[in-house]
Amino acid sequence: MRGFLVILLVHVVIANPHSVPPPDLRIVDIDAILPHETSDIQRSQPLMARLQEANHFTNPPLVAPAVNGKFVLMDGSNRHVSLKALGFPHILVQVVAYESGTVELGIWKHIVADWDAASLRRGLESLPGVKITASQDERAIASLTLRDGSTFGIRAQVDSLHERNAALRTVVDAYHSSATLYRTTLTDSAQVWTLFPTGVALVTFPNYRPQDIIAAAMQRAYLPPGISRHIIHGRALNLRYPMQQLRADLPLQTKNRQLRDWLQAQFSRRSVRYYAEATYQFDE
């Protein structure tokens, strides 16, 4: 089984970078977090080992408020599932409402590499309930461009959100289990093949709306990992919050009071910086 690697190639334009509020950081019940996608076991297993030994929690998952005290997980499913497997009752998150004006919802494209195009197509054609169609098919759940320039779409015979997302999981599993998989936002296929010399296919998915993500979470009709892409203006990174305070056997109210005091100290010491410009990170 090959790895699932991530290439961050993102260009973001912020209309008014000075209007971004400070991050809303909270410690919440870990069972109150509702994922909208399946976790990637290839990434969560090594992450679990790192979190078990970690002294600090660095990058809080992003969540949107839902109903009845629940939260929809936008980004950070592997951190969530790892902490849950380790027995953490609570998790530190950044809460951002979709309607806040600081959330951009897009998609990742998949680059299928280190495999051959003929095996990829045969694997997709053998899937039950899936049909290969013209690439411009508006009802396709995914479209593929091969290195030789040929294109085709994938349509699934589905009647519900559960069936549609289940079919999409099956499609992604068909190449995830045999190839190296990269995520990208590139649209120029020539640039893709230059940057990824072992790439054989570029997979594109339809756009999603916030209500699609919320419905997937509330109905447990999970998307495959690595398709939805949330850009948060004002995202909190590299917190280095003491893991022992997150692990502590204390009431949630007490933990949030400790978090508030810690945040106030960080701002007082001028340890918090806000960068409005788009960046490339080379430390992933």
Side-chain angles (χ1 to χ4, degrees):
M1 184 176 292
R2 306 293 180 85
F4 190 108
L5 305 179
V6 182
I7 299 295
L8 294 179
L9 297 166
V10 181
H11 177 69
V12 182
V13 178
I14 303 177
N16 185 2
H18 304 293
S19 66
V20 175
D24 180 359
L25 295 168
R26 307 182 202 175
I27 297 175
V28 302
D29 190 323
I30 201 164
D31 290 325
I33 306 297
L34 306 176
H36 76 273
E37 62 181 4
T38 56
S39 61
D40 182 355
I41 192 65
Q42 294 181 25
R43 300 180 68 197
S44 60
Q45 283 184 336
L47 176 61
M48 201 180 305
R50 293 198 301 271
L51 288 172
Q52 196 164 22
E53 301 297 327
N55 293 320
H56 300 93
F57 193 62
T58 54
N59 299 324
L62 298 165
V63 301
V67 297
N68 300 324
K70 303 292 186 180
F71 300 89
V72 171
L73 185 59
M74 297 176 174
D75 184 69
S77 63
N78 293 309
R79 276 161 282 163
H80 172 249
V81 75
S82 296
L83 287 181
K84 194 167 185 177
L86 291 171
F88 279 67
H90 305 130
I91 185 170
L92 173 59
V93 298
Q94 181 175 353
V95 182
V96 190
Y98 273 112
E99 62 271 19
S100 66
T102 60
V103 181
E104 291 185 29
L105 173 59
I107 58 166
W108 290 105
K109 298 179 181 68
H110 288 177
I111 300 169
V112 182
D114 301 318
W115 206 20
D116 65 277
S119 296
L120 169 62
R121 178 149 187 162
R122 282 196 302 269
L124 294 173
E125 289 175 338
S126 68
L127 296 176
V130 166
K131 182 175 69 172
I132 303 299
T133 69
S135 61
Q136 65 271 21
D137 186 347
E138 294 181 355
R139 297 179 62 186
I141 61 173
S143 299
L144 283 81
T145 300
L146 303 183
R147 179 177 281 272
D148 64 7
S150 59
T151 62
F152 60 90
I154 302 173
R155 184 187 287 192
Q157 300 172 4
V158 297
D159 296 315
S160 68
L161 178 68
H162 271 279
E163 293 176 344
R164 184 182 189 279
N165 288 352
L168 196 54
R169 292 196 304 271
T170 301
V171 168
V172 174
D173 285 345
Y175 54 79
H176 189 188
S177 59
S178 300
T180 302
L181 184 58
Y182 300 91
R183 305 178 198 175
T184 186
T185 59
L186 293 173
T187 56
D188 184 347
S189 57
Q191 191 174 16
V192 169
W193 309 137
T194 299
L195 290 173
F196 300 90
T198 63
V200 298
L202 178 65
V203 188
T204 303
F205 306 96
N207 289 317
Y208 290 92
R209 303 165 298 172
Q211 53 265 41
D212 299 323
I213 303 299
I214 294 170
M218 301 297 291
Q219 299 180 32
R220 299 183 180 181
Y222 303 129
L223 287 166
I227 291 183
S228 65
R229 171 174 164 261
H230 289 84
I231 297 173
I232 309 299
H233 304 310
R235 182 169 187 168
L237 295 172
N238 299 320
L239 254 68
R240 294 185 58 78
Y241 187 73
M243 190 68 90
Q244 64 181 11
Q245 293 187 215
L246 197 56
R247 289 192 183 102
D249 184 19
L250 294 171
L252 196 54
Q253 185 176 8
T254 302
K255 287 187 175 181
N256 274 295
R257 185 168 62 247
Q258 291 176 341
L259 173 62
R260 184 180 65 248
D261 293 343
W262 182 86
L263 285 169
Q264 289 174 346
Q266 300 305 305
F267 278 95
S268 296
R269 289 199 294 265
R270 300 180 181 178
S271 300
V272 183
R273 290 187 178 184
Y274 169 64
Y275 293 94
E277 66 271 25
T279 62
Y280 286 95
Q281 294 192 55
F282 287 83
D283 60 349
E284 293 294 317

